[in-house]
Amino acid sequence: HNVLNWLVNTMNNKQSRKIFIDSKISLVHGDLVFHNLLTDKEKISGVLDWERALFGDPDFDIFRLMNFKLSASAYKDTGNDGKNETGYLSLLLSKIKSSGLIDDIEIFDQKYQIAKASYYLNALYWDAKSNDPQKNIQNTLKEIEKFC
C-alpha cells in the first residue's frame, strides 16, 4: 500500500535521521499546542503547561504545532472547529516560518517529514484502540495519502 510504503521509507531514511543527530539541543516545551498558548489576539503573551518540558531539538515544538494543525484541520472538515484553531494555527505557523526562527527551511522540512510520519504512526495506533477502529484508521489513511 502506498501509505505504508511512505511511512516505512520516511522512518527508515538514514540521511534524514542523521539531520536530527546534527541538531542543536535546547529547552523545548514538549506540548506546544493551541490550548497551551495565551494570546492578546496579536501576539503570544504566554505559554502554559510545562510539565513535558525537556531538552531536545528546538524544532520539536514547531513540529508539534504543525501536527496539531493537522488534527485541527480534520475537526474543521467535520464542522467541529468552533474555536477556529485551524485559522489561528495557520497564521501562527506562517509567522514562525517568516520570523527567522527556523535556521534552514530545507533541513527543517526534511526533519518534519520524519516527525509527520511519527505523528501518523501514533495516530494509527490510537485509531486501532478506538471505539471504531475501522472508520478511524480509514480516515487517518486518507489524511496520509495527501502527503504520499
Side-chain angles (χ1 to χ4, degrees):
H1 198 271
N2 225 10
V3 170
L4 294 178
N5 285 336
W6 176 79
L7 287 169
V8 169
N9 291 336
T10 300
M11 296 302 286
N12 285 329
N13 184 326
K14 289 179 182 169
Q15 181 181 359
S16 293
R17 286 191 307 204
K18 184 179 177 334
I19 292 170
F20 282 100
I21 293 168
D22 295 338
S23 293
K24 60 187 173 188
I25 302 295
S26 68
L27 180 66
V28 294
H29 182 273
D31 192 24
L32 198 60
V33 294
F34 179 80
H35 307 304
N36 291 335
L37 299 174
L38 297 176
T39 178
D40 65 4
K41 296 189 181 182
E42 293 295 320
K43 60 185 176 199
I44 294 174
S45 58
V47 180
L48 306 172
D49 196 14
W50 284 85
E51 79 260 6
R52 291 188 180 174
L54 55 108
F55 286 97
D57 188 312
D59 291 332
F60 177 81
D61 282 332
I62 301 171
F63 298 153
R64 181 78 168 107
L65 280 171
M66 293 171 77
N67 289 339
F68 193 79
K69 182 180 176 258
L70 292 173
S71 298
S73 295
Y75 289 131
K76 183 178 181 183
D77 291 344
T78 62
N80 294 320
D81 188 21
K83 295 180 181 176
N84 193 27
E85 294 175 23
T86 306
Y88 175 79
L89 289 169
S90 294
L91 178 62
L92 177 60
L93 289 166
S94 172
K95 288 186 180 227
I96 288 170
K97 284 188 174 183
S98 65
S99 71
L101 286 172
I102 299 170
D103 293 332
D104 186 323
I105 196 73
E106 187 176 321
I107 289 174
F108 177 87
D109 288 340
Q110 289 173 6
K111 288 193 300 187
Y112 182 55
Q113 289 304 309
I114 292 174
K116 187 170 28 178
S118 176
Y119 164 80
Y120 279 126
L121 285 171
N122 190 46
L124 288 168
Y125 169 79
W126 285 103
D127 290 345
K129 295 177 67 161
S130 69
N131 291 335
D132 193 351
Q134 199 163 14
K135 175 186 165 200
N136 292 330
I137 289 170
Q138 287 304 315
N139 287 340
T140 299
L141 291 174
K142 286 179 192 174
E143 287 296 313
I144 298 171
E145 285 177 352
K146 294 177 185 177
F147 301 106
C148 297

